[in-house]
Amino acid sequence: MQKKRSLIFLIICSLVVAMLGHLFFITEWFQDRYMVGPNDGLQQMVTFKKLLYEQYSTGNFFYSYQFGLGGGTYSQLAFYFSTSFMFMLTAAFVYLLQSVQLIGPADTLFWANAAVFVSIVRLAIIIVITTYVFRYMKCNWMPAFTGAAIYGLSAIYFRHVTYWEFFADAMLWVPLLVFAVEKIIREAQGGWFIVAVAVTLFNNFYFAYVNLIFILIYIMLRWKIQLVENETNRLRQLKMYFVSGILGLGISAISFVPAVYGYLNNHRPPYSQQVPLFNWDNILFNSRFVIIPALFLILLFVFSLYKNRTFRLFAALSIIFILLHFTPIVASAFNGFSAPQYRWEYLLSFTIGGCVAFGLKYIDEISKKKLTIASIIVTIAYLFTVFFDKNISITSYLSFAVLTMVLITIFLLFMFIWGKDRVRLILLYTGLLIIPIVFANVFQYGLSVPGKVDEVSKNHLRSEDYNGEEQRQIIQQIKDRDNNPFYRIDWKVGSFNNTPIVQNFNGMSVYGSILNKHLLYFYLYDLNIDMGRESVSRYATLGNRANLYSLLQGKYMIIEKDNNSPIPYGFNKIIESENYIVFQNNNILPFARTAKMLFSEQEMKHTSVLAREYAMLEGAIVPNKNNTAAIPKEQNIIDTATLETVNALYNDNKLSVTDDQGGIDIIADEIHPDTKDFYIRFHLENLAADQGFTLKVNDYKTTRKSNQSVYKTYDDNLTIRVSKADKVKIRLPKGDYILKVIALYQEDYSKLEQAKRQATETKKINWSDNRITITYNNQNNDNLMILPIPYEKGWEVKVNEETQAVKKVNYAFVGFPIEKGINHIQLDYYPPYFRTTLVITLISLILSVVSWWRARGTGTLSR
């Protein structure tokens, strides 16, 4: 009964601290402003929550046609929320509220509204778990709670939640892993290690990597610092770590394996920039990642505390991680040896919390002299930092606020040391809790105003800059006139590639860290499609190339009236509103197409992208097969064209633009009268060390990243489609460039129109969740069916009840053999290795339960 009352009291206290720690964003919520970042917060966090909740609440757990050009969300969104326990619990609660009609639709506005409340609950859980872990390690209640609160109320928590919410979930599992390790060391019990490893790996594979590196460091240091008598010997520990870890991995297999497959099936150019050894970051005043509490520093310099082994353990860990914070090499290592990312800093916040907890445990043993020495050292450190950091001033509000909190901390400690009675003890802990609460709210203000989080408001989420009323109405008009479930609309608001998910239509763009590599190769290399903006982790539009729109169900395009965007061939205006125009593609091809002529990727490798488009219109491009037809021909007329410089010098492939808008004019002398468009291809590199730029080709614009950008694709081969004109004008800002391998092709769209005439519409197509059924009468004796569904592992197909191999066709899409006559086709999608991992998970669960049951009588697991 006492334990139950203690737990209830702890939960209440944790919720109170969590709510007080969110006071700033709570007040913002009352003013319809949300705890959501203006970039990834809006583009990804609330957007993917909306998508996944709609899937999960209807029983569809695996695939979405709305995710870009289609994709396995269970695998590709495992980096975000698809396997997140916190999200699943939240989704279940939201579903319950919807079931009793207490709330309405769970759109992006709903998830933005809910963000601060989900964060409060998460933070309370973090504090409860961490407090219990410190208690298990023999810390008193109030020090344990204070240390847990300092961990939870850290800068990195609020930064993570606001900008990349799922990052904060990792903070739940760090104390659980430490508890599991201590269970093995102290009691030779491996059951909790199974649980900790399983939930860590299941929840998020990326942060499992980070957390397991941490726990490995913890174990190694723990072997050096013995905390209790009769600890389990190391050989036995290793056996238990191995066996329990394998069982935990096995339990998580159903989530972990598809998630890792999604990561490995992603494409991101290697990070080519040099990672520096050292980077200064002011962790006492204005770091974006971690602000060291003054209380921690004071305790760190009370050298008598090091007699306590647990304090020594957490102090050593903290010092190690503080030193590692200053080297971007470690930030790169924690990010899979890619670009340095400081996402791991919550580990330092945890060790600081532990150091504070076990330092405060012995607060009454600290003498006035020792506290005085520590206070002087810390004060000098702060003043030294202020005077030598040129980015802050001693007279600034920041300096005043930080130094005030330092002085208040010192005052509280001296107040208690001077009297050491119960009233002073209560005042001490109350004050020490208020300081991180105040800090948390001040940090939130820093995120909101300078970080522009305050721009994420109800008005913004209903504006034309995100999801406007006029935009929603025009989308609805398209839906009202076309009930085909497979067409796609080329439309996004500005650079928000996930607009289709927000506005609930099948689009042609997506932005996410894990995407289908076949699609990314398709865009970057195979078809060389310009997206209007160079960036990794996204794809969008089809570069106004009519052939591709017709092949990939791009039936509609929405543009803003004042945009003056070029319109692809074959698109006609059908709807007009005050600010937008809708165009319809009159050459759309069937969703299910068949082919007899096959072209091999290898033999198409040395052709132009226009020839590849022709091959896809006439038949299909497949890997590793001899061509069954002649390679389509296109005409490169660059040799008959004249190149003229404009405000530029051009020699030996080097272009020096001497004015703001200079470049080259390509004057075509022999243009076929039937030509509708030009395809202009060239290789372009910016020689500036750090300068992004806008490229213009006639009326087409696209932006290119700086050479220093971590989001640069390093694909400098461009293909731009423009309408037929006397001149093709390539325009660049002032600077030096490499411009070479220029080619100019004519397109009359005769092959597209022929494909449209010969197309046979397949009417019997049904798509429900992760299953597609098609009935097709193959009267032409074609041997392959192609669907505009991205190829990825997990698709299975049966044709007339016979299992067939799913093939990668047209570089990135699903194809499979068909028979002459009637074909009854069924395609199913399951996450990669789903059945195998399901069996592994079930077996591992059974073995874990059996091991636990056997260990009950002996007090051990995995002997």
Side-chain angles (χ1 to χ4, degrees):
M1 184 61 70
Q2 180 63 34
K3 287 185 178 181
K4 185 177 180 180
R5 283 199 296 267
S6 297
L7 176 60
I8 293 172
F9 184 70
L10 174 60
I11 292 172
I12 293 171
C13 291
S14 299
L15 280 169
V16 170
V17 168
M19 285 189 287
L20 292 174
H22 286 81
L23 270 181
F24 177 83
F25 275 122
I26 291 173
T27 58
E28 289 287 281
W29 182 84
F30 279 108
Q31 298 177 62
D32 290 329
R33 294 193 290 264
Y34 308 120
M35 193 178 182
V36 175
N39 298 312
D40 288 350
L42 279 183
Q43 283 222 56
Q44 295 185 333
M45 303 306 124
V46 297
T47 305
F48 291 153
K49 280 188 170 186
K50 172 190 180 292
L51 174 66
L52 290 169
Y53 178 76
E54 289 173 352
Q55 285 187 252
Y56 290 2
S57 60
T58 57
N60 176 18
F61 298 97
F62 302 136
Y63 197 90
S64 174
Y65 186 64
Q66 198 178 78
F67 181 63
L69 293 175
T73 51
Y74 184 85
S75 179
Q76 293 181 48
L77 292 181
F79 180 60
Y80 297 93
F81 298 107
S82 67
T83 59
S84 163
F85 288 113
M86 197 68 204
F87 172 70
M88 287 188 277
L89 287 171
T90 306
F93 184 68
V94 171
Y95 184 77
L96 177 63
L97 293 179
Q98 283 187 332
S99 299
V100 295
Q101 299 182 340
L102 287 178
I103 59 173
D107 57 8
T108 50
L109 179 60
F110 169 84
W111 290 108
N113 266 288
V116 66
F117 302 104
V118 174
S119 180
I120 288 169
V121 173
R122 182 194 294 107
L123 179 53
I125 296 172
I126 289 170
I127 295 173
V128 169
I129 294 174
T130 308
T131 301
Y132 263 105
V133 172
F134 292 159
R135 283 285 295 147
Y136 176 76
M137 297 176 72
K138 308 304 179 186
C139 189
N140 301 333
W141 274 109
M142 281 309 298
F145 183 78
T146 305
I150 286 175
Y151 169 47
L153 293 166
S154 57
I156 197 75
Y157 175 80
F158 293 99
R159 176 178 167 81
H160 278 356
V161 169
T162 305
Y163 292 137
W164 311 280
E165 183 188 342
F166 68 96
F167 284 12
D169 288 358
M171 294 179 69
L172 291 162
W173 317 126
V174 175
L176 188 62
L177 281 165
V178 169
F179 175 71
V181 167
E182 290 296 329
K183 272 286 188 180
I184 287 178
I185 294 174
R186 295 167 187 255
E187 302 179 44
Q189 292 185 10
W192 276 103
F193 197 75
I194 296 173
V195 173
V197 169
V199 297
T200 300
L201 294 173
F202 190 104
N203 189 82
N204 186 287
F205 73 95
Y206 176 87
F207 285 101
Y209 165 75
V210 176
N211 286 353
L212 292 177
I213 290 176
F214 165 75
I215 208 61
L216 179 62
I217 296 171
Y218 182 89
I219 290 170
M220 293 172 66
L221 194 58
R222 187 65 175 80
W223 282 351
K224 295 289 185 182
I225 303 175
Q226 183 176 340
L227 301 184
V228 295
E229 300 297 327
N230 301 319
E231 291 184 350
T232 308
N233 70 70
R234 293 178 188 175
L235 184 60
R236 189 175 175 194
Q237 282 185 46
L238 284 172
K239 177 184 175 184
M240 297 180 74
Y241 292 136
F242 178 78
V243 175
S244 300
I246 291 295
L247 289 173
L249 173 62
I251 292 172
S252 72
I254 196 170
S255 165
F256 182 71
V257 172
V260 171
Y261 175 83
Y263 169 76
L264 296 175
N265 197 51
N266 184 40
H267 168 66
R268 178 170 289 200
Y271 186 70
S272 62
Q273 299 175 34
Q274 185 175 1
V275 180
L277 179 63
F278 176 80
N279 182 50
W280 166 250
D281 185 36
N282 195 330
I283 58 177
L284 297 185
F285 284 87
N286 60 358
S287 172
R288 293 179 298 158
F289 312 108
V290 59
I291 302 293
I292 302 295
L295 175 60
F296 162 74
L297 286 176
I298 293 168
L299 295 173
L300 202 64
F301 287 106
V302 178
F303 300 108
S304 60
L305 289 175
Y306 289 86
K307 293 184 295 184
N308 176 262
R309 294 174 182 175
T310 313
F311 177 84
R312 193 192 314 158
L313 170 69
F314 282 106
L317 285 166
S318 300
I319 292 169
I320 290 170
F321 285 125
I322 286 172
L323 294 174
L324 295 180
H325 168 81
F326 291 103
T327 171
I329 292 175
V330 172
S332 173
F334 274 112
N335 194 37
F337 298 94
S338 184
Q341 295 285 3
Y342 293 85
R343 298 165 179 165
W344 64 272
E345 306 284 359
Y346 63 91
L347 303 175
L348 173 56
S349 297
F350 174 75
T351 61
I352 286 174
C355 197
V356 167
F358 287 95
L360 290 176
K361 178 183 177 182
Y362 299 98
I363 187 68
D364 55 353
E365 298 179 11
I366 300 176
S367 67
K368 300 182 188 71
K369 179 181 178 182
K370 292 171 183 174
L371 181 59
T372 301
I373 294 171
S375 300
I376 291 172
I377 294 172
V378 169
T379 303
I380 291 172
Y382 276 92
L383 293 175
F384 180 86
T385 304
V386 168
F387 284 116
F388 284 91
D389 190 334
K390 297 179 180 179
N391 295 319
I392 55 177
S393 168
I394 187 66
T395 59
S396 67
Y397 286 116
L398 174 65
S399 298
F400 176 77
V402 172
L403 292 174
T404 299
M405 283 196 278
V406 173
L407 293 176
I408 291 173
T409 303
I410 293 172
F411 169 77
L412 289 170
L413 291 170
F414 268 108
M415 177 198 66
F416 173 74
I417 297 298
W418 206 268
K420 294 184 181 179
D421 57 41
R422 183 171 179 81
V423 173
R424 291 172 185 251
L425 184 67
I426 293 172
L427 289 174
L428 171 67
Y429 282 112
T430 302
L432 293 181
L433 285 170
I434 289 174
I435 289 173
I437 288 171
V438 171
F439 164 78
N441 284 279
V442 171
F443 189 81
Q444 290 166 52
Y445 172 82
L447 292 173
S448 182
V449 180
K452 298 183 179 181
V453 174
D454 59 343
E455 295 179 1
V456 181
S457 63
K458 183 177 182 180
N459 288 337
H460 178 72
L461 267 67
R462 285 290 179 258
S463 74
E464 299 300 307
D465 292 327
Y466 185 70
N467 186 17
E469 176 66 23
E470 186 181 354
Q471 295 163 359
R472 297 195 301 272
Q473 287 179 355
I474 209 163
I475 294 291
Q476 189 58 50
Q477 288 183 56
I478 296 173
K479 292 180 178 180
D480 290 341
R481 65 184 291 150
D482 195 333
N483 60 7
N484 185 316
F486 304 120
Y487 68 80
R488 294 192 176 277
I489 305 172
D490 188 358
W491 160 247
K492 60 185 177 66
V493 178
S495 61
F496 277 28
N497 284 39
N498 288 326
T499 293
I501 300 173
V502 174
Q503 298 185 354
N504 201 31
F505 64 90
N506 299 324
M508 310 198 79
S509 61
V510 73
Y511 168 39
S513 291
I514 308 295
L515 297 173
N516 185 331
K517 72 177 180 182
H518 302 299
L519 275 177
L520 296 176
Y521 287 164
F522 179 80
Y523 267 86
L524 294 173
Y525 312 122
D526 300 322
L527 269 296
N528 208 205
I529 304 167
D530 186 79
M531 307 179 220
R533 177 190 183 195
E534 181 188 19
S535 185
V536 298
S537 301
R538 64 181 74 217
Y539 57 81
T541 190
L542 291 170
N544 293 319
R545 287 155 63 173
N547 296 328
L548 297 179
Y549 278 101
S550 297
L551 286 162
L552 299 179
Q553 297 297 292
K555 191 171 182 179
Y556 301 99
M557 170 181 281
I558 302 175
I559 66 165
E560 298 178 55
K561 282 186 175 179
D562 59 356
N563 197 341
N564 297 321
S565 297
I567 307 303
Y569 171 81
F571 280 69
N572 295 328
K573 181 168 70 174
I574 59 167
I575 300 172
E576 184 173 356
S577 68
E578 181 180 353
N579 296 295
Y580 303 97
I581 303 174
V582 180
F583 293 86
Q584 179 176 329
N585 183 1
N586 294 318
N587 294 312
I588 194 75
L589 298 175
F591 178 81
R593 298 177 60 242
T594 58
K596 187 176 296 181
M597 292 190 293
L598 303 180
F599 306 89
S600 77
E601 288 184 9
Q602 187 63 32
E603 294 185 42
M604 296 298 296
K605 191 173 183 179
H606 303 291
T607 65
S608 70
V609 296
L610 185 57
R612 296 171 198 176
E613 289 183 11
Y614 290 164
M616 291 190 288
L617 289 170
E618 293 180 356
I621 302 173
V622 296
N624 305 320
K625 188 176 182 67
N626 292 328
N627 288 0
T628 59
I631 295 176
K633 298 294 184 182
E634 81 295 286
Q635 186 179 3
N636 182 3
I637 61 170
I638 194 65
D639 290 338
T640 66
T642 304
L643 272 62
E644 295 182 353
T645 57
V646 178
N647 297 325
L649 301 173
Y650 186 48
N651 187 36
D652 291 334
N653 297 327
K654 183 178 180 181
L655 178 68
S656 296
V657 178
T658 56
D659 207 344
D660 186 40
Q661 285 297 314
I664 285 182
D665 286 348
I666 303 173
I667 304 170
D669 296 328
E670 298 180 10
I671 305 174
H672 194 281
D674 291 336
T675 297
K676 305 294 191 305
D677 286 341
F678 286 142
Y679 279 45
I680 172 71
R681 184 182 184 278
F682 50 88
H683 179 95
L684 178 67
E685 294 179 44
N686 187 2
L687 296 179
D690 188 7
Q691 177 193 24
F693 65 98
T694 298
L695 163 70
K696 297 179 182 178
V697 181
N698 289 8
D699 57 355
Y700 186 86
K701 295 181 181 180
T702 185
T703 61
R704 307 294 293 173
K705 293 289 184 187
S706 154
N707 290 324
Q708 300 299 315
S709 173
V710 297
Y711 302 111
K712 185 173 178 60
T713 64
Y714 298 98
D715 176 40
D716 297 315
N717 295 316
L718 303 177
T719 299
I720 307 295
R721 165 267 176 192
V722 295
S723 298
K724 180 180 71 172
D726 293 335
K727 291 182 180 180
V728 176
K729 304 174 183 178
I730 300 175
R731 294 292 181 267
L732 294 159
K734 187 176 180 179
D736 294 324
Y737 307 86
I738 297 296
L739 177 65
K740 59 183 180 180
V741 197
I742 303 173
L744 183 65
Y745 302 98
Q746 303 177 94
E747 167 63 307
D748 61 7
Y749 294 106
S750 58
K751 292 188 184 299
L752 173 60
E753 290 167 352
Q754 181 181 3
K756 171 65 175 174
R757 288 192 301 270
Q758 296 176 348
T760 302
E761 193 71 43
T762 306
K763 296 181 179 180
K764 294 184 179 180
I765 304 177
N766 180 61
W767 192 332
S768 178
D769 298 334
N770 62 323
R771 173 167 292 178
I772 307 171
T773 56
I774 302 172
T775 301
Y776 178 74
N777 188 0
N778 184 16
Q779 295 178 330
N780 295 327
N781 198 24
D782 291 335
N783 50 25
L784 192 70
M785 176 171 281
I786 311 110
L787 302 178
I789 297 171
Y791 173 85
E792 58 183 299
K793 191 174 185 65
W795 279 110
E796 303 168 352
V797 63
K798 288 184 178 180
V799 179
N800 294 330
E801 301 299 323
E802 293 290 329
T803 299
Q804 300 288 347
V806 177
K807 301 178 181 294
K808 180 168 72 75
V809 177
N810 291 343
Y811 298 107
F813 298 93
V814 163
F816 48 87
I818 55 175
E819 302 172 359
K820 185 177 181 180
I822 298 294
N823 286 258
H824 296 288
I825 301 161
Q826 177 179 308
L827 291 103
D828 293 285
Y829 176 84
Y830 291 96
Y833 310 106
F834 181 75
R835 293 183 181 85
T836 302
T837 54
L838 176 60
V839 172
I840 293 172
T841 293
L842 292 175
I843 292 174
S844 299
L845 275 170
I846 293 169
L847 290 175
S848 298
V849 171
V850 170
S851 297
W852 172 80
W853 186 265
R854 291 178 58 190
R856 289 183 66 192
T858 61
T860 60
L861 180 61
S862 305
R863 279 186 178 274

